[in-house]
Amino acid sequence: IARVLLEEAPPTCDALGPLNRLIFAPGLLGGVNVTTCGRLSVGGKSPLTRGVKEANAGGTAGDALGKLDIKAIIVEGQAEKIHWYILRIHDGDAELLPANDLLGLGTYATSDALQKRYGADSTVISIGQAGECCMGGAGICVTGEGGQRSNHAARGGLGAVMGCKGLKAVVIDKPGPKLPEMVNAELLRTAARNFAQKLINDPKLG
């Protein structure tokens, strides 16, 4: 995230202007079924600190992007104030769809509406009313397994950055079961099992 901002966003740009970037990125091990490695990082120039900001969230977005072999989603530019959009990622393609019918909905209601429309197992990344109004404390919500709605990239006002872009939500269709190609799949599975067991047995995490 910091590298993209350094290369693509002028350091003096308005955090809520068209030159800022909003970046969604999985971790390096996203999508390979390693415990705790499916989180999503969200970043951009913060409207609160005016510096580089990264916030991260649980849920299924990081894992889904990893399985789709997407290293990052970078949102640039700015929609006209009267237009709001959904970015839908499916079947190897991405498209912008109108989202004006979702305006005024909170993140839970937005997630429910979009999962009803695109499938209960799709991942939804969304903002609520605070993000729409570009309020400095706005976060970004990510859905998880089993109807979970409360995973938030909550710091730095990145929900306001998403709102200023005119982006109400990102919807990622559930990827297939195929994992990213690995040089040594058995070695990774062994390491992942050992790592998970260490977490289970660590008294500090009990």
Side-chain angles (χ1 to χ4, degrees):
I1 285 170
R3 179 176 177 178
V4 170
L5 289 172
L6 287 168
E7 292 178 350
E8 298 189 13
T12 58
C13 73
D14 182 356
L16 299 181
L19 297 181
N20 195 8
R21 301 290 189 261
L22 179 65
I23 306 151
F24 302 92
L28 294 176
L29 294 177
V32 297
N33 295 336
V34 176
T35 185
T36 74
C37 291
R39 296 183 68 82
L40 177 74
S41 281
V42 185
K45 180 176 179 177
S46 169
L48 295 181
T49 68
R50 305 295 192 268
V52 173
K53 184 58 194 169
E54 183 274 344
N56 65 84
T60 53
D63 191 61
L65 290 175
K67 286 180 177 174
L68 292 170
D69 202 26
I70 295 174
K71 300 295 186 290
I73 298 169
I74 302 173
V75 184
E76 57 184 67
Q78 197 164 36
E80 295 180 19
K81 289 295 183 183
I82 60 171
H83 295 301
W84 287 83
Y85 294 95
I86 301 160
L87 173 62
R88 187 182 177 206
I89 299 172
H90 64 107
D91 299 328
D93 292 318
E95 60 180 335
L96 283 173
L97 302 170
N100 285 57
D101 61 312
L102 300 172
L103 289 186
L105 296 182
T107 55
Y108 284 30
T110 299
S111 299
D112 288 342
L114 291 175
Q115 288 187 326
K116 183 176 181 180
R117 187 181 305 176
Y118 297 113
D121 54 1
S122 59
T123 295
V124 177
I125 305 167
S126 66
I127 56 172
Q129 299 94 329
E132 292 174 15
C133 295
C134 298
M135 297 178 70
I140 296 173
C141 184
V142 183
T143 59
E145 298 286 358
Q148 190 181 41
R149 298 282 185 273
S150 55
N151 305 284
H152 285 84
R155 298 178 184 231
L158 294 173
V161 178
M162 190 165 167
C164 85
K165 301 291 186 190
L167 187 62
K168 176 65 174 176
V170 179
V171 180
I172 308 167
D173 283 7
K174 184 177 181 179
K178 184 175 180 285
L179 297 177
E181 185 176 347
M182 289 170 262
V183 173
N184 190 329
E186 183 55 38
L187 179 61
L188 179 65
R189 281 193 291 269
T190 299
R193 283 195 299 269
N194 291 340
F195 177 55
Q197 196 60 52
K198 287 182 183 297
L199 291 177
I200 292 170
N201 294 334
D202 190 325
K204 296 188 291 297
L205 301 175

